[in-house]
Amino acid sequence: MTNGQMREQVSDSGFAAFLAEKTRSRIGSSTIGSDWSGLQAMVVEQGDDAFVSPALGSHFLGLCIDGYALADIRFGSLVGPRRGVVEPGALCFMPAGDVAELSLAGSFSGLHVLLNPTVLESVIAERCKGDPKRAQLLGFQGRRNDLMSETARKVHALSKRPCGATALEADRLSFELANRIVDFACAMPSASGRPPDLTTLQLSQAIDYIDANMACDFGLAEIAAHVGAEPTRLASAFEDETGTSIDVFRTERRLSRAQEMLALSDDPATCEEAAKHVGFGSVAGLDAAFRSRVGISLENYRSRRLG
């Protein structure tokens, strides 16, 4: 297939809406799925670029195969940080209907997959026994999910197979990918009228936010805004999933990080550095929390670890 033929085929399938001719990114040497109703995929090479895509009629999933880039991507359903790193294994998911504004610095090859919304709706309807249009799909970028990546790599393998894929293989992979997305990034509706449970993505983002902002003074409202959740629902779901409250979890993470720092240095100033790094106002504050949780003072802990 020539490049011209490929671009024509891609335009017919809707890919041109995301990778327009005016962009500096170029379509790769292989594509699959031109005759599929549920799943279409292609390999692309992308470099320094900036463009805005119109709304897609299908859900979009991107997998970085190799390379490295910094990305600033914005679309309606994306929660969490807009800027991130594109590196091997990183995933991006944009629900159908969103318009993406994208800026890239770097170079990478990736797999772009379009998934028919009816496939996802049928999976949601079967699993929640309700109206799939009430489910909340969250977009993400720069995230990792082993199961979703595994399915995307199966699609990538088919893109390199000379004989292509059978209709049965296409159907199986489209529903497998839809289930992965539902597991990770879909807040399922509840027949009882209760707000939907948090997604695995939201819980993961909440933990990442806590870890990335140890030195900052923030509360439940800031975490909830970051992950796109209602605060009381976040608190309840977080405790159900982790077995502890957000406040206790945050304290445990801060003390664990302080322990790591103390174990790696015999410099007396490390106590002050650790207290500042994990968000305690003073060494005395860290020492009090350390005694309460670990059962030993900072000084005795350091002597036991280092002496």
Side-chain angles (χ1 to χ4, degrees):
M1 180 183 296
T2 68
N3 244 4
Q5 290 172 318
M6 184 178 299
R7 285 189 180 274
E8 182 179 355
Q9 179 177 344
V10 168
S11 296
D12 290 341
S13 70
F15 277 109
F18 199 75
L19 279 180
E21 293 279 356
K22 65 181 180 181
T23 72
R24 292 185 292 277
S25 299
R26 62 184 179 83
I27 296 173
S29 59
S30 60
T31 185
I32 58 174
S34 59
D35 298 323
W36 297 0
S37 59
L39 183 73
Q40 300 178 60
M42 61 181 287
V43 177
V44 299
E45 300 289 336
Q46 290 191 262
D48 294 346
D49 209 346
F51 60 90
V52 177
S53 81
L56 293 179
S58 298
H59 302 303
F60 169 84
L61 180 76
L63 169 69
C64 178
I65 299 169
D66 57 56
Y68 180 93
L70 298 177
D72 184 349
I73 182 169
R74 302 165 187 271
F75 52 87
S77 62
L78 174 64
V79 297
R82 264 57 182 169
R83 296 177 176 84
V85 177
V86 178
E87 56 188 354
L91 292 158
C92 174
F93 173 67
M94 185 175 75
D98 277 4
V99 174
E101 181 178 349
L102 178 66
S103 177
L104 290 170
S107 178
F108 69 97
S109 65
L111 177 75
H112 285 188
V113 180
L114 292 182
L115 183 66
N116 192 311
T118 59
V119 175
L120 204 54
E121 288 178 5
S122 65
V123 169
I124 294 171
E126 182 168 325
R127 291 177 55 172
C128 74
K129 310 301 182 186
D131 181 3
K133 296 189 183 300
R134 291 176 53 219
Q136 180 186 9
L137 280 175
L138 300 178
F140 57 86
Q141 65 118 348
R143 308 294 300 185
R144 291 180 176 273
N145 180 278
D146 291 341
L147 294 177
M148 204 179 305
S149 293
E150 179 185 355
T151 302
R153 291 187 187 283
K154 292 177 185 177
V155 176
H156 181 222
L158 288 182
S159 73
K160 299 186 292 185
R161 199 169 72 182
C163 60
T166 67
L168 183 61
E169 288 174 316
D171 285 343
R172 179 179 59 79
L173 284 176
S174 64
F175 282 100
E176 181 178 313
L177 187 59
N179 273 282
R180 305 300 194 207
I181 292 170
V182 168
D183 288 339
F184 188 64
C186 178
M188 302 289 282
S190 170
S192 67
R194 187 189 69 179
D197 290 332
L198 263 69
T199 67
T200 303
L201 170 64
Q202 287 172 304
L203 289 168
S204 174
Q205 287 178 321
I207 292 172
D208 287 350
Y209 187 85
I210 292 170
D211 286 343
N213 295 279
M214 284 187 178
C216 302
D217 183 18
F218 62 88
L220 176 62
E222 286 87 350
I223 306 175
H226 178 76
V227 306
E230 195 272 328
T232 56
R233 186 68 194 126
L234 170 62
S236 174
F238 192 95
E239 188 160 354
D240 288 345
E241 182 69 20
T242 65
T244 188
S245 69
I246 287 180
D247 285 343
V248 171
F249 181 88
R250 181 186 178 192
T251 299
E252 294 287 350
R253 298 290 263 216
R254 293 163 80 189
L255 291 176
S256 293
R257 179 60 186 136
Q259 277 183 285
E260 293 172 3
M261 295 181 68
L262 293 172
L264 292 174
S265 173
D266 58 1
D267 185 343
T270 302
C271 288
E272 294 182 9
E273 294 173 2
K276 182 179 179 181
H277 181 78
V278 301
F280 285 89
S282 65
V283 174
L286 174 59
D287 185 61
F290 203 85
R291 285 173 184 265
S292 175
R293 296 290 180 181
V294 184
I296 190 172
S297 69
L298 289 176
E299 181 179 353
N300 286 334
Y301 177 79
R302 286 173 56 79
S303 298
R304 182 170 60 88
R305 296 284 293 183
L306 301 173

